[in-house]
Amino acid sequence: MKQNKYQVMNFIRHIIDEDLAIGKYDNIHTRFPPEPNGYLHIGHAKSICLNFGIAKDYNGKCNLRFDDTNPVNENSNFIESIKNDIKWLGFTWSGDIKYTSNYFDQIYKYAIELINKGLAYVDELTIEEIKEYRGVWSKPGVNSPYRNRSIKENIFLFDKMKKGYFKEGKACLRAKIDMSSNFILMRDPVLYRIKFFKHHQTSDDWCIYPMYDFAHCISDALEGITHSLCTLEFLDNRRLYEWILKHISISTIYPSQYEYSRLNLEYSVTSKRKLSQLVNKKYVEGWDDPRMPTISGLRRRGYTPASICEFCHRIGVTKQQNIIEMSLLESCVRDELNRNAPRAMAVLDPIQIIIQNLPLNYEKIIVMKNHPNMPEMGTREVVFSNTIWIDKADFREQYIKNYKRLILGKEVRLRNACIIRCDYITKDKEGNIICIYCTCDLNTLSKNVIDKSYKNNGIIHWISKAHAQPAEFRLYNRLFNIPNPSSEKNFLANINPNSLEIKHGYVEQSIKNAKANKPYQFEREGYFCADSVYSNQSHLVFNRIVSLRDSYEKLSSKSF
Ligand code: ATP
Ligand code: MG
């Protein structure tokens, strides 16, 4: 097998190599089985890269199967978003899209088979009673009084369930396994429950739906999945899957299940249930809010597919449970954009400078490189004039050590333009600076010389006032205040109220037609892209994808 960048060995790939070597399988077949009850998040990206990545590298197949056994929280909008996200990440599923609901007829027949073998029964205990009878790990469960019904009676009652004679919660089908098993999951798990709910694929055909555990292993087996990869919490379920497949007449090689650790990301939540609360309770604007750790949120924010795949590659696949630092995800996109993103100038928090020794109508076209190290990315023209915007943070009245920006009475270099000295400032009644008056060193302007004596000056960016395009900048901070919000009773209590900061400033004219999702490095400010929802030609809105450096690590180092 030819090695590619993402093909670093993990324990699952070792197992697959061995399976192929001993001839256990001829072809590798994996699947990605999302439940269409929300948008995909960064944790799913790990599973996608693993399953589709293995299929790609081993010339195998990877199915996309919607695990649609609970119609209540599922819908077609989620299905479309999931398909879209997988394609965007650069993967293609094998053959048609699969749905667990495609197999409802077969799954139902297997349930009948279990009843006929005396291995399943209709229970009429309530959900609470079932829980109570099931016991706890240290205490064996108690048999349901309905456990010893005859096969005939069970067939009759299950048919009644299917035909809608029972109300929801009044009956269910349970496997007859062992109420004293050390594995709670094996204490007569529920196989089917009643739900009077229109299904997005099967409409009103069914009012009984198989439980995830019953349907999942059967679906894997029917599709000929060789390696069924899932997260660690399904470790015990393997026992149940094996029991089910052993007792039904399904003609297939059993899929082998392997578990790996879930991806948890600092300062965020990776659970669709929790993410949907953020959406439904309007803590964020939607599933694709750029603060969300969803694939669609990251895309809108400006993350690239390659940066997400690189992240999944860097975290690897193991059985170790941990929380990954947000800075790792950020460094993946930062590294890529540092290499590829064209540069431009933007002033996020503007303050005006008038250069007194340049005429009012002065204009100079300056040719700037789009990327310092990639001449193939070309150049652009930026107009310099006597009135410019700089960032408020780039000026101080008082001298402070190591502040390499503009100080009253001192000099600074304007990027690609010239050196200016600050002469005086004007203020309003409240003491806010209205304008900074400067003088330009004409020598440096005409020849763009870099004299040795200037070498200690800092360089700041600027935008000519007459050529500036107004723009809104959306700066995103962590969505939660604590590294592991999921460990809290109420994760919503730890939302960061300042996760979105909006600024109004200017960008240079060359990017007035910036396309949504096209990333730029705004010099000294960070990586940005136009927002796909809010930005248009008459109102530019830029999302900050990521800062230039890890701002939480080295706050004080910014451009000093
Ligand atoms: P959620 O709690 O977000 O709904 P889930 O496991 O119920 O997660 P599914 O839609 O059932 O979500 O997941 C589809 C696949 O993605 C499964 O194989 C699951 O194991 C995997 N997966 C989900 N979350 C993560 C995660 N955080 N890290 C790695 N894999 C994940
Ligand atoms: Mg699930």
Side-chain angles (χ1 to χ4, degrees):
M1 198 190 353
K2 220 176 105 213
Q3 291 265 319
N4 72 34
K5 180 167 175 264
Y6 295 118
Q7 215 175 290
V8 169
M9 287 310 284
N10 57 47
F11 77 98
I12 294 172
R13 283 174 184 260
H14 279 297
I15 291 168
I16 293 177
D17 282 347
E18 245 175 71
D19 287 347
L20 288 170
I22 60 166
K24 187 172 172 188
Y25 303 109
D26 295 330
N27 294 301
I28 302 304
H29 204 155
T30 57
R31 84 288 172 270
F32 174 63
E35 197 181 336
N37 60 348
Y39 280 53
L40 296 183
H41 51 65
I42 185 76
H44 291 113
K46 174 174 176 175
S47 176
I48 290 170
C49 289
L50 177 66
N51 283 294
F52 286 97
I54 283 176
K56 209 172 180 176
D57 297 339
Y58 287 87
N59 280 327
K61 291 179 178 169
C62 179
N63 290 0
L64 167 60
R65 182 202 316 139
F66 287 102
D67 239 319
D68 53 350
T69 52
N70 181 3
V72 180
N73 298 315
E74 299 169 0
N75 68 50
S76 313
N77 170 29
F78 293 144
I79 290 179
E80 288 312 308
S81 77
I82 290 171
K83 280 158 49 179
N84 193 25
D85 287 351
I86 297 171
K87 283 193 262 182
W88 180 75
L89 282 174
F91 297 104
T92 318
W93 47 89
S94 163
D96 291 340
I97 291 174
K98 316 284 189 291
Y99 294 87
T100 300
S101 55
N102 294 157
Y103 316 126
F104 278 176
D105 283 332
Q106 278 141 297
I107 297 170
Y108 176 74
K109 281 186 195 143
Y110 290 127
I112 300 278
E113 184 182 350
L114 289 179
I115 297 175
N116 278 324
K117 287 180 172 167
L119 293 172
Y121 61 98
V122 172
D123 198 358
E124 288 172 71
L125 290 181
T126 62
I127 295 173
E128 292 74 33
E129 284 166 336
I130 289 179
K131 242 188 213 158
E132 204 185 308
Y133 279 52
R134 189 166 277 152
V136 287
W137 185 75
S138 52
K139 198 175 124 214
V142 176
N143 285 352
S144 161
Y146 304 102
R147 196 174 198 262
N148 289 322
R149 281 177 153 153
S150 69
I151 290 174
K152 203 172 147 199
E153 195 183 359
N154 280 317
I155 290 283
F156 175 74
L157 292 172
F158 190 46
D159 188 53
K160 267 182 86 174
M161 275 174 66
K162 182 175 180 257
K163 288 182 174 150
Y165 287 104
F166 284 103
K167 288 207 171 100
E168 263 183 51
K170 292 290 175 198
C172 65
L173 184 75
R174 293 178 74 177
K176 200 184 213 177
I177 307 181
D178 178 6
M179 287 304 287
S180 56
S181 170
N182 283 337
F183 297 89
I184 305 270
L185 229 122
M186 300 299 275
R187 294 185 186 173
D188 290 9
V190 175
L191 301 180
Y192 262 92
R193 78 280 210 215
I194 299 166
K195 275 186 195 290
F196 289 98
F197 206 91
K198 206 182 182 82
H199 190 286
H200 48 95
Q201 302 300 315
T202 58
S203 188
D204 293 317
D205 290 357
W206 298 87
C207 66
I208 53 169
Y209 291 97
M211 294 299 286
Y212 172 85
D213 277 338
F214 189 44
H216 192 77
C217 54
I218 294 176
S219 309
D220 270 355
L222 289 173
E223 289 177 10
I225 301 303
T226 55
H227 296 78
S228 178
L229 313 177
C230 62
T231 39
L232 282 170
E233 66 273 22
F234 291 98
L235 184 74
D236 287 352
N237 303 52
R238 198 203 292 179
R239 198 170 289 269
L240 174 57
Y241 299 160
E242 281 165 8
W243 184 93
I244 293 168
L245 294 181
K246 194 170 111 192
H247 290 102
I248 60 174
S249 46
I250 196 162
S251 52
T252 175
I253 320 166
Y254 292 173
S256 310
Q257 175 173 304
Y258 299 99
E259 304 86 13
Y260 60 93
S261 60
R262 273 182 99 82
L263 164 66
N264 301 304
L265 189 63
E266 266 188 348
Y267 300 98
S268 62
V269 288
T270 42
S271 139
K272 278 179 275 162
R273 197 178 54 76
K274 290 195 169 105
L275 292 169
S276 71
Q277 286 188 58
L278 293 174
V279 175
N280 297 335
K281 296 185 177 166
K282 306 225 180 314
Y283 286 101
V284 292
E285 290 179 20
W287 286 95
D288 69 344
D289 187 301
R291 289 166 291 183
M292 291 279 270
T294 51
I295 311 262
S296 50
L298 291 166
R299 173 168 61 236
R300 186 170 154 198
R301 171 112 166 225
Y303 273 73
T304 58
S307 62
I308 294 175
C309 293
E310 172 66 18
F311 171 69
C312 294
H313 163 67
R314 288 194 200 172
I315 55 173
V317 178
T318 66
K319 285 183 178 286
Q320 223 164 345
Q321 311 241 35
N322 53 10
I323 302 185
I324 304 293
E325 287 178 12
M326 188 62 108
S327 56
L328 184 61
L329 177 62
E330 291 178 346
S331 69
C332 291
V333 75
R334 191 182 288 124
D335 290 353
E336 185 191 334
L337 298 183
N338 184 34
R339 283 194 305 273
N340 304 336
R343 274 45 174 172
M345 292 199 289
V347 173
L348 274 58
D349 195 6
I351 188 164
Q352 182 172 270
I353 286 189
I354 293 181
I355 303 172
Q356 302 179 90
N357 59 339
L358 291 179
L360 264 182
N361 58 356
Y362 178 84
E363 275 192 6
K364 183 185 179 205
I365 293 173
I366 297 176
V367 177
M368 294 195 188
K369 285 183 193 165
N370 287 334
H371 195 288
N373 314 321
M374 291 177 72
E376 62 273 29
M377 286 179 75
T379 57
R380 66 192 191 283
E381 293 184 342
V382 179
V383 184
F384 179 61
S385 69
N386 84 320
T387 308
I388 58 171
W389 298 113
I390 65 160
D391 199 279
K392 271 189 190 138
D394 284 340
F395 174 75
R396 295 232 179 175
E397 279 181 74
Q398 258 87 42
Y399 173 82
I400 50 163
K401 212 176 158 207
N402 290 336
Y403 182 77
K404 291 192 173 166
R405 307 187 216 174
L406 188 59
I407 299 175
L408 189 57
K410 304 269 179 209
E411 290 180 338
V412 81
R413 178 177 287 275
L414 295 175
R415 163 90 70 205
N416 290 326
C418 60
I419 286 177
I420 52 169
R421 188 189 63 237
C422 174
D423 302 322
Y424 66 96
I425 54 175
T426 51
K427 290 186 178 176
D428 63 15
K429 274 187 215 145
E430 280 81 42
N432 303 309
I433 299 171
I434 303 171
C435 187
I436 302 169
Y437 289 85
C438 295
T439 305
C440 151
D441 180 336
L442 296 172
N443 238 344
T444 59
L445 179 65
S446 55
K447 299 193 196 109
N448 208 9
V449 288
I450 302 181
D451 190 299
K452 277 196 181 117
S453 60
Y454 294 126
K455 79 170 188 272
N456 284 331
N457 284 104
I459 301 175
I460 62 172
H461 60 284
W462 51 272
I463 290 179
S464 162
K465 187 175 176 183
H467 307 89
Q469 291 291 320
E472 179 179 317
F473 302 94
R474 298 181 149 236
L475 312 185
Y476 303 105
N477 299 310
R478 291 163 171 164
L479 194 46
F480 291 92
N481 283 324
I482 54 167
N484 188 7
S486 294
S487 65
E488 299 293 305
K489 226 181 192 166
N490 176 16
F491 76 104
L492 293 168
N494 298 291
I495 292 243
N496 174 9
N498 303 315
S499 59
L500 169 63
E501 205 182 321
I502 297 184
K503 295 196 170 216
H504 292 97
Y506 300 96
V507 292
E508 61 174 65
Q509 226 168 18
S510 72
I511 53 166
K512 69 172 183 215
N513 297 321
K515 288 200 184 70
N517 295 102
K518 179 177 163 51
Y520 290 91
Q521 186 198 92
F522 289 162
E523 298 204 28
R524 301 179 61 242
E525 295 290 357
Y527 296 95
F528 287 77
C529 72
D531 185 76
S532 55
V533 175
Y534 293 123
S535 192
N536 56 53
Q537 280 197 358
S538 54
H539 182 63
L540 288 171
V541 179
F542 288 95
N543 295 322
R544 185 172 67 191
I545 307 165
V546 69
S547 56
L548 288 179
R549 301 184 184 83
D550 188 347
S551 51
Y552 291 91
E553 234 171 53
K554 282 193 167 178
L555 257 184
S556 58
S557 73
K558 194 198 163 194
S559 305
F560 267 56

